[in-house]
Amino acid sequence: MIRRQLGYTFLAIGAAIAAAGLSSAPALAGERDGARWVATWATGPAGPDPGATPRFDHQTVRYIIHTSVGGGRVRVKLSNTFGSEPLVIGSARVARRIAGARIERSSDRRLTFGGVDHVTIPVGALVVSDPVMLDVPALSDLAISLYLPQPTAGTTTHLLALQTSYIAAGTGDVTGATDLPGAAQTTSWEFVTGVDVTVRGGAAVVALGDSITDGANSTLDANLRWPSVLAARLQARQGTRRLGVIDQGIIGNRILHPTEPESGNLFGPAALARLDRDVLAQAGVAYVIVLLGINDIGHPGSNAPASDEVSPQEIEAGLSQIVERAHEHGIQVFGATLTPFEGTTLVGFFSPEKEVKRQAVNHWIRTAGAFDAVIDFDAAIRDPGHPARILPAFDGGDHLHPSDAGQRALAEAIPLRLFDDDR
């Protein structure tokens, strides 16, 4: 079984071309009817918490994700980015979620890869499923069920999913089950890194950031991260283009440095290293909102060695690289100012000298003209009486990450007119 699956890996491209009726034909049909692939959901792959790597053994996992834009066809992306051995997927399915682990039976679709219902993903690689016909509503939940037929370490994960997913009780392939009674719960996403839908005249907005964009300290299962709230605002607007919003925030992420060696891949690669994968390669991307730099300032001497210290000019140069590379792909880049962090409970993260750096970077974001537009997140949630701190009503409790109300304030600070062009 495994040998046959490994063989598929090396024949995948040829099989996908040969299986035109299963793969390329739906994509071409989408082009003919004026639709295009647009990312409706994605998450930045990273590594697990060191010493707490999830492990699966002949088990079915049902991951719940929340869409932004809707569409009539769907494809799913699975990743083995940080794996140390090939990832075997015995079967995979997608369906609309009703509640908990329960799915709408009539919506259940088997996923194939080049016409084959199983796939082995090489170390470091990503695969995209064949398209399936499925009505995917905007702002709805999908269930993506994976059967892992051999002992598997969850080395490619997104730790802060803020979404309850389900690990089936017992062993075996129950990906097609309507419900998973007795399932264990998990709040991370392993291996599933993207969902695209076909949309007429649509495009995608990528939110590139760290734990603030990832929604740290917002409510579990509530979809109150600022990118999620932005998606709801865009869907509520009448007479405008249909836009997907995908959250590529990773906790602890920095522009210029990867995760510290002792933390594995927990904080992901440096933003400059993951830009191609998490932004430029996303389906239909036309805009990116960048909120990065606070960890470049705060981590040295806290979660990273002091030797990682960087200057405001180095942060600005990194942000300029993001703009330059995105512009090469015709993508507009909106720069968000760094939010306050005085008083943070993270030991060593804040100092008066670090606040000077934040202010310098924010001055550059506001005045240098490097971005296509500036979004002033700092002004949206700072305390007018103490601008180095988050307003208490918007504070998630650690004086660094916004609360639900703070996340909403960030989303509402984004002018929707920024997305009015026809690209």
Side-chain angles (χ1 to χ4, degrees):
M1 176 68 170
I2 295 173
R3 179 176 297 174
R4 180 163 63 92
Q5 292 169 330
L6 286 170
Y8 165 70
T9 298
F10 299 103
L11 296 174
I13 295 175
I17 295 172
L22 294 165
S23 160
S24 60
L28 290 173
E31 294 170 4
R32 284 196 300 268
D33 66 15
R36 65 184 298 203
W37 286 110
V38 171
T40 186
W41 173 88
T43 195
D49 191 2
T53 302
R55 298 190 180 277
F56 310 98
D57 192 356
H58 301 84
Q59 288 174 289
T60 295
V61 187
R62 179 164 289 172
Y63 294 110
I64 309 301
I65 66 95
H66 191 68
T67 68
S68 54
V69 68
R73 297 182 184 87
V74 64
R75 65 186 185 187
V76 175
K77 298 177 179 179
L78 305 177
S79 173
N80 192 22
T81 303
F82 298 108
S84 58
E85 56 187 24
L87 169 63
V88 179
I89 304 293
S91 64
R93 307 182 78 96
V94 62
R96 293 189 292 265
R97 195 268 287 258
I98 297 175
R102 189 156 52 96
I103 62 170
E104 183 183 323
R105 179 176 290 278
S106 64
S107 72
D108 185 38
R109 304 287 188 271
R110 180 178 293 278
L111 296 174
T112 59
F113 304 85
V116 182
D117 64 1
H118 56 266
V119 65
T120 297
I121 308 174
V123 170
L126 173 144
V127 299
V128 183
S129 76
D130 301 329
V132 295
M133 299 295 295
L134 178 64
D135 179 23
V136 177
L139 307 178
S140 65
D141 292 341
L142 294 180
I144 300 166
S145 301
L146 306 179
Y147 173 52
L148 304 168
Q150 62 184 41
T152 302
T155 50
T156 298
T157 186
H158 190 91
L159 185 67
L160 192 68
L162 289 172
Q163 174 67 62
T164 303
S165 293
Y166 302 89
I167 304 169
T171 59
D173 183 356
V174 291
T175 53
T178 303
D179 202 356
L180 300 177
Q185 296 184 353
T186 177
T187 54
S188 60
W189 290 304
E190 282 74 45
F191 315 124
V192 179
T193 57
V195 178
D196 301 337
V197 295
T198 51
V199 183
R200 291 186 181 182
V205 182
V206 179
L208 180 65
D210 48 41
S211 55
I212 294 172
T213 297
D214 213 8
N217 289 5
S218 66
T219 301
L220 180 70
D221 294 328
N223 298 303
L224 289 175
R225 315 162 195 86
W226 71 258
S228 302
V229 179
L230 173 62
R233 290 184 67 209
L234 288 168
Q235 291 300 316
R237 266 209 320 182
Q238 300 297 316
T240 58
R241 319 165 52 213
R242 298 174 65 195
L243 294 172
V245 179
I246 61 173
D247 189 336
Q248 294 287 22
I250 297 178
I251 58 170
N253 198 233
R254 291 184 282 173
I255 301 168
L256 301 171
H257 287 88
T259 308
E260 301 73 37
E262 63 271 19
S263 297
N265 292 303
L266 178 64
F267 302 146
L272 289 179
R274 69 185 182 99
L275 184 69
D276 292 89
R277 181 195 68 202
D278 291 350
V279 177
L280 306 183
Q282 296 302 316
V285 58
Y287 313 94
V288 57
I289 302 172
V290 182
L291 176 60
L292 282 167
I294 201 66
N295 289 321
D296 294 79
I297 295 170
H299 271 209
S302 176
N303 295 320
S307 58
D308 281 2
E309 183 176 352
V310 295
S311 67
Q313 292 74 26
E314 288 172 308
I315 294 171
E316 293 154 15
L319 291 170
S320 295
Q321 283 292 311
I322 293 173
V323 174
E324 182 70 21
R325 290 167 59 189
H327 280 175
E328 287 181 352
H329 293 260
I331 299 168
Q332 291 192 45
V333 186
F334 308 142
T337 53
L338 306 184
T339 52
F341 70 126
E342 183 179 302
T344 178
T345 57
L346 298 180
V347 177
F349 199 88
F350 177 84
S351 70
E353 294 76 19
K354 292 179 178 182
E355 172 64 11
V356 170
K357 287 186 180 182
R358 183 182 77 93
Q359 294 290 352
V361 172
N362 279 351
H363 177 75
W364 177 84
I365 290 171
R366 291 183 178 112
T367 64
F371 296 96
D372 296 291
V374 172
I375 300 167
D376 205 340
F377 279 175
D378 173 38
I381 66 169
R382 70 190 178 204
D383 185 342
H386 196 150
R389 288 180 176 262
I390 298 176
L391 188 72
F394 295 151
D395 192 338
D398 62 6
H399 313 307
L400 172 64
H401 299 99
S403 62
D404 290 349
Q407 290 279 338
R408 180 167 296 280
L410 295 181
E412 291 178 347
I414 302 171
L416 299 189
R417 58 177 171 74
L418 295 177
F419 312 106
D420 282 345
D421 71 312
D422 294 327
R423 65 183 55 210

